[in-house]
Amino acid sequence: MKRKKLGNSNFTISAIGLGGMPMSLSGRPPESQSIAVIHRALDLGVTLIDTADSYCQDQSDKHHNEHLISKALQQYNGDVRAVTVATKGGLMRPQGAWTRNGNPHHLRKTIRESFEALGGKEPIDLWQYHSPDPAYTIEAALAPAKEAVEAGMIRFIGVSNFSVEQIKRARDTVEIVSVQNQYNPWHRQPESDGVLEYCETEKLTFFPWSPLGGSRRVTSLQDIPAIAKLAAEKNVSVYCIVLAWLMAQSPCIVPIPGATKVSSIEDSVGALEVKLTDEELQQIAAS
């Protein structure tokens, strides 16, 4: 598995990760199936697993995905020392909704809970502020994360759903290694707002969330002619084509596609072998 540096650190992560979110929302698969998916990802060389304290059904279920990942790692027969778990804090799930909470007292509490959910022995590899809450300054919201680094509970810090200006403010407060914003062929704001270019220039890792479009993409990938045609020509899935497009946009990009089936993570890893020409990339972008 090809590896990349995590930001400016000496840590390396796999060039493609596994997103844990669909394993913990409503309609989630049986726990045994999710653990099998995580184990297969590790077998394939995936060393980055993305999660969040809010990947759950509601507030009563908080930290579900973190507990699940921790259990899967404990049950894995192989060496997990190289595995990086990236979690997030700052969103709440009242009655299954998504709301922001940048209150430093809440973030201090949820960092501790994430630390315990992920085993409570080693530092959280990467903790990311999930989404800036306008009710609190970025400096105040990131203070608990900075404290947690100093206390040995967090190794690295990242941000999510941040603009360039907000990233700069965050970096004035703490060292930042990653940015996680929405990005795919149908949502290309990181190009227009300069976030992707900034990450590449500053050597920050960019994790595109919703890499395949998710629920915001109404049309099935198979029904998009340019993508379906390329998939058939290269004998890969339509999902591989989109993931390959993402990775071709910048060397700082590390996709984190979600999976609830073993076959899905196997397919996603196959995207690393897909090569697209400039013309093919333009065809996808125009689809």
Side-chain angles (χ1 to χ4, degrees), residues 57-286:
Q57 293 179 335
D58 54 40
Q59 280 301 111
S60 67
D61 193 41
K62 205 80 182 286
H63 301 282
H64 177 275
N65 198 244
E66 293 170 330
H67 282 291
L68 173 67
I69 290 167
S70 179
K71 185 173 184 178
L73 293 176
Q74 290 172 18
Q75 293 181 357
Y76 187 61
N77 290 327
D79 188 354
V80 297
R81 287 176 296 179
V83 175
T84 295
V85 177
T87 193
K88 295 177 284 294
L91 292 185
M92 307 290 281
R93 299 301 313 281
Q95 290 79 53
W98 300 84
T99 61
R100 301 179 188 184
N101 188 347
N103 185 315
H105 297 295
H106 162 69
L107 293 174
R108 193 170 287 111
K109 177 175 180 288
T110 200
I111 286 171
R112 166 62 68 176
E113 290 170 348
S114 289
F115 174 73
E116 296 293 342
L118 291 169
K121 295 180 181 178
E122 297 294 326
I124 296 170
D125 296 314
L126 173 61
W127 184 89
Q128 301 160 100
Y129 183 26
H130 209 149
S131 189
D133 182 348
Y136 301 91
T137 66
I138 289 171
E139 293 78 7
L142 286 174
K146 184 177 182 179
E147 294 166 9
V149 170
E150 295 167 352
M153 280 194 293
I154 291 175
R155 185 168 282 117
F156 298 112
I157 298 173
V159 294
S160 182
N161 301 303
F162 268 50
S163 67
V164 171
E165 179 186 355
Q166 290 169 329
I167 298 168
K168 290 178 178 178
R169 285 181 59 186
R171 295 181 76 193
D172 286 339
T173 303
V174 295
E175 183 178 354
I176 298 296
V177 299
S178 65
V179 176
Q180 186 170 155
N181 286 7
Q182 185 180 12
Y183 184 49
N184 55 58
W186 307 277
H187 183 96
R188 300 175 67 176
Q189 186 174 333
E191 296 175 13
S192 59
D193 65 14
V195 168
L196 188 57
E197 181 181 4
Y198 180 81
C199 288
E200 185 172 331
T201 301
E202 297 296 314
K203 294 182 169 54
L204 302 178
T205 299
F206 184 90
F207 300 120
W209 66 263
S210 192
L212 299 172
S215 60
R216 293 169 176 79
R217 174 181 45 75
V218 178
T219 307
S220 167
L221 290 178
Q222 196 63 55
D223 294 332
I224 300 175
I227 294 175
K229 181 175 180 291
L230 286 171
E233 290 174 353
K234 297 178 184 296
N235 195 30
V236 297
S237 74
V238 288
Y239 309 104
C240 277
I241 295 296
V242 176
L243 292 173
W245 180 89
L246 273 170
M247 289 184 282
Q249 301 310 302
S250 171
C252 71
I253 289 178
V254 176
I256 43 172
T260 57
K261 297 178 181 178
V262 166
S263 58
S264 295
I265 188 58
E266 290 175 338
D267 183 64
S268 293
V269 169
L272 291 167
E273 304 302 319
V274 177
K275 306 301 178 187
L276 299 169
T277 66
D278 289 343
E279 183 180 352
E280 290 169 339
L281 291 169
Q282 291 171 6
Q283 290 172 4
I284 296 167

